[in-house]
Amino acid sequence: MRGLTLSAAAAILAGVHAAIDPIEIKGTKFFYKSSGEQFFMKGVAYQQEINTNTPQSEDIKYVDPLADAATCKRDIKYLSDVKTNTIRVYAINPEENHDECMNALADAGIYVIADLSQPGLSINRDAPEWDTRLYERYTSVVDVMAKYDNTLGFFAGNEVSNQPNNTMASAFVKAAVRDTKAYIKSKNYRQIGVGYATNDDAEIRDAMAAYFACGDDADRIDFWGYNIYSWCGESSFEESGFDVRTKEFEKYPVPVFFAEYGCNEVRPRLFTEVGALYGSQMTGVWSGGIVYMYFEEANKYGLVTVDGDEVTTNEDFENLKSEISKVKPTGVKRDAYNPPSNSAPECPKTDKTWTAKSDSLPPPANAKACSCMMETLGCVVNEDELDEENYGELFGTVCGLEDGEFCAGINNNATAGPYGAYSMCEPKQKLSFALNAYHKKYANGCDFEGQAKTTSAKASSEAECKDLVEQAGPEGTGTIAAPSGDGNGNGNGNGPKKEGAASGLTVPTLMGFASVLAGMAVVLA
């Protein structure tokens, strides 16, 4: 480095990423890309005080564990002591720098699976949406993490549908999977899998697993994470139900692993399930698992207690260390592995326990289409009189008129359908579209007690805008093409025009408007 100042040399070194063999998927297994050896996760969940699937405002603070280099480096020693080769993080800040931590993890042979959401920007099971705000959040995480060879994959959702009455939310998660996979491809990033982490609910687990793996390859998950806590204390392969779960996934078409495990009904945790998970009864089906979790908190799942900079291991840690040191999972070499000719499973039919239709998904998030639509409106929300958090009543008013005809273009019902072309837009854009639809029918109808206002509509001279608006159709019931590029017009946006039927709409109601900042959900009952 002759001729460089020390600061300049340090700056160059800071941008160098540690060498680690990337993980790739073939069939139902993970492999090291260069060596071709099968990869089994020996993981630990690594993030404090986070929950990404409940209604929360965007200003809730969370600690990005990959942005705190000092803490990350401190903890690598303890993670390595329990043979960790994978950590799961539940929310990162894309505006932070992660180089130092990710490089240190790579040096230790540790990969990362990152959830794409954050508190306040996640798919809410009670008022589900997939919109341009969430798309921007998800793709910003992809942009930050794709450059690291030790990024193993992404979760598009975590336990979003967790019981029969909210299974419709799965349609929005699957749309997120589809769009995130398309984005990774459009940016020419290396192939990084996008999956989902599910809870273990007996009523919906079979339909859930089938739903996310059925249909077109472009829409399907790349891997399946199972949060399972049925092995408690001195249990067994049969008593825990691990034998049944293993049988159920024998012919599943993508890799499966435990995205969380470690029942704490008996403390200290013995982790006797480790021998089964990495033994001959399970390694033919499962690719390992991720222990929940590193930090001791009120829920008593921690492996260590942290006080300031001091880390104290507990009995759970020592038991896991003992059990994990005994296992040596035996896999297959990639070149000798012939994936089974498993076709995608049959999609589940809707019934009292499964409400997400399998023959359609929410439309791709296309911010360019939403902004183009706004240019054509002659009546919009009056932001001087109405704040976004107070949109609910006005939505209820305009969408409740004339059998919901003014909201056909923003319909977001995963069961009744069809989805409106603009259902993926931001709340202000969707409400403005509905107000304008009313105004088009009733020329003097742009007021709503001062909450709406007239504006100058214009036909865009931009060819892409013209095409997108034409695809949606005047009622917003057509199909807008998925964006290519970043979703903001940096792509061609071209695609087929397909008209949807609006005649089956009924009076809409607004669900869970407390979560409007995470995306308003208009649901036609």
Side-chain angles (χ1 to χ4, degrees):
M1 295 193 179
R2 184 178 179 181
L4 291 177
T5 66
L6 288 176
S7 59
I12 291 174
L13 288 172
V16 176
H17 298 154
I20 189 170
D21 198 355
I23 303 300
E24 64 179 16
I25 295 171
K26 180 181 180 181
T28 64
K29 303 183 186 302
F30 293 102
F31 294 95
Y32 291 98
K33 182 177 180 179
S34 298
S35 73
E37 298 287 339
Q38 187 176 348
F39 177 81
F40 293 93
M41 289 182 203
K42 296 177 181 177
V44 174
Y46 184 71
Q47 187 149 13
Q48 293 176 278
E49 300 176 355
I50 196 73
N51 192 341
T52 60
N53 55 22
T54 54
Q56 300 181 84
S57 63
E58 292 186 35
D59 61 356
I60 285 181
K61 304 300 181 184
Y62 62 92
V63 177
D64 179 345
L66 304 182
D68 186 344
T71 298
C72 172
K73 290 179 177 180
R74 176 201 69 192
D75 293 335
I76 285 175
K77 171 187 180 300
Y78 300 97
L79 292 167
S80 297
D81 278 351
V82 289
K83 308 298 182 184
T84 303
N85 65 11
T86 306
I87 61 172
R88 178 182 177 185
V89 296
Y90 294 84
I92 70 162
N93 184 350
E95 297 181 2
E96 298 282 355
N97 187 288
H98 305 92
D99 287 353
E100 196 170 348
C101 177
M102 289 297 291
N103 287 340
L105 290 167
D107 287 338
I110 297 175
Y111 296 83
V112 175
I113 295 182
D115 287 58
L116 294 168
S117 60
Q118 71 173 62
L121 278 173
S122 60
I123 298 171
N124 181 343
R125 64 170 69 100
D126 297 319
E129 283 236 290
W130 175 243
D131 62 14
T132 56
R133 288 180 176 180
L134 288 172
Y135 180 79
E136 182 180 3
R137 159 68 195 182
Y138 280 38
T139 55
S140 67
V141 174
V142 170
D143 286 336
V144 167
M145 298 298 292
K147 63 184 176 182
Y148 303 114
D149 284 344
N150 56 328
T151 296
L152 193 157
F154 302 108
F155 280 126
N158 179 66
E159 298 189 8
V160 179
S161 294
N162 65 352
Q163 56 192 27
N165 68 356
N166 55 38
T167 53
M168 64 174 287
S170 288
F172 300 88
V173 182
K174 194 168 181 178
V177 170
R178 174 201 63 203
D179 288 3
T180 304
K181 289 175 60 171
Y183 181 79
I184 291 170
K185 184 177 181 180
S186 75
K187 298 290 284 187
N188 293 318
Y189 293 141
R190 67 178 175 86
Q191 291 186 353
I192 306 174
V194 181
Y196 177 73
T198 184
N199 70 316
D200 184 29
D201 184 279
E203 288 189 276
I204 64 173
R205 62 185 170 211
D206 291 342
M208 181 86 68
Y211 180 77
F212 277 95
C214 75
D216 296 336
D217 287 345
D219 302 340
R220 298 164 55 192
I221 51 162
D222 296 314
F223 53 77
W224 186 245
Y226 206 171
N227 299 342
I228 185 167
Y229 294 87
S230 61
W231 186 305
C232 302
E234 288 283 8
S235 188
S236 68
F237 183 59
E238 293 79 13
E239 183 181 350
S240 65
F242 279 22
D243 59 335
V244 179
R245 303 287 84 79
T246 300
K247 184 69 175 177
E248 288 170 347
F249 283 96
E250 276 184 344
K251 296 183 179 180
Y252 204 63
V254 299
V256 294
F257 57 92
F258 288 179
E260 291 176 4
Y261 76 94
C263 172
N264 70 348
E265 290 181 9
V266 178
R267 287 180 60 83
R269 292 183 288 177
L270 303 176
F271 288 110
T272 51
E273 67 265 48
V274 166
L277 180 58
Y278 297 98
S280 59
Q281 290 176 304
M282 297 184 70
T283 51
V285 174
W286 302 94
S287 294
I290 299 170
V291 170
Y292 189 84
M293 65 169 304
Y294 182 77
F295 298 97
E296 178 74 340
E297 295 178 340
N299 60 13
K300 305 297 183 183
Y301 277 97
L303 298 174
V304 307
T305 298
V306 178
D307 184 6
D309 291 329
E310 184 177 346
V311 177
T312 303
T313 62
N314 61 24
E315 288 187 78
D316 286 17
F317 180 95
E318 298 302 328
N319 289 339
L320 176 61
K321 181 178 179 180
S322 174
E323 294 298 325
I324 203 79
S325 66
K326 300 175 186 176
V327 301
K328 292 183 179 180
T330 302
V332 297
K333 292 282 287 187
R334 181 189 54 216
D335 293 343
Y337 169 61
N338 294 314
S341 56
N342 294 343
S343 59
E346 183 178 349
C347 290
K349 294 179 172 58
T350 56
D351 56 26
K352 65 180 181 180
T353 62
W354 188 261
T355 57
K357 295 179 70 173
S358 298
D359 57 359
S360 64
L361 292 175
N366 192 324
K368 180 69 173 181
C370 298
S371 62
C372 291
M373 174 269 288
M374 287 293 290
E375 294 179 2
T376 70
L377 304 184
C379 180
V380 297
V381 177
N382 185 354
E383 295 180 277
D384 294 333
E385 296 295 330
L386 189 65
D387 295 328
E388 186 173 306
E389 59 264 28
N390 296 317
Y391 284 178
E393 185 176 350
L394 187 51
F395 263 115
T397 297
V398 68
C399 292
L401 296 170
E402 303 191 23
D403 293 329
E405 71 170 273
F406 306 120
C407 291
I410 59 172
N411 178 32
N412 219 12
N413 191 315
T415 302
Y419 296 100
Y422 298 117
S423 61
M424 47 71 187
C425 297
E426 294 183 12
K428 181 184 75 173
Q429 295 167 328
K430 290 190 285 194
L431 182 52
S432 294
F433 179 84
L435 294 170
N436 187 72
Y438 181 86
H439 178 56
K440 286 195 300 183
K441 186 168 184 177
Y442 301 104
N444 297 321
C446 186
D447 183 64
F448 290 91
E449 298 181 345
Q451 297 176 108
K453 65 179 182 180
T454 57
T455 186
S456 298
K458 60 181 180 180
S460 176
S461 59
E462 187 180 348
E464 183 179 5
C465 268
K466 286 182 178 180
D467 190 42
L468 290 169
V469 171
E470 181 183 348
Q471 289 173 32
E475 309 303 324
T477 53
T479 299
I480 295 175
S484 58
D486 62 9
N488 292 299
N490 299 321
N492 59 40
N494 294 322
K497 179 182 178 182
K498 178 182 177 183
E499 293 298 330
S503 59
L505 298 178
T506 56
V507 178
T509 58
L510 194 67
M511 290 181 61
F513 199 77
S515 62
V516 66
L517 290 178
M520 190 284 304
V522 173
V523 180
L524 299 184

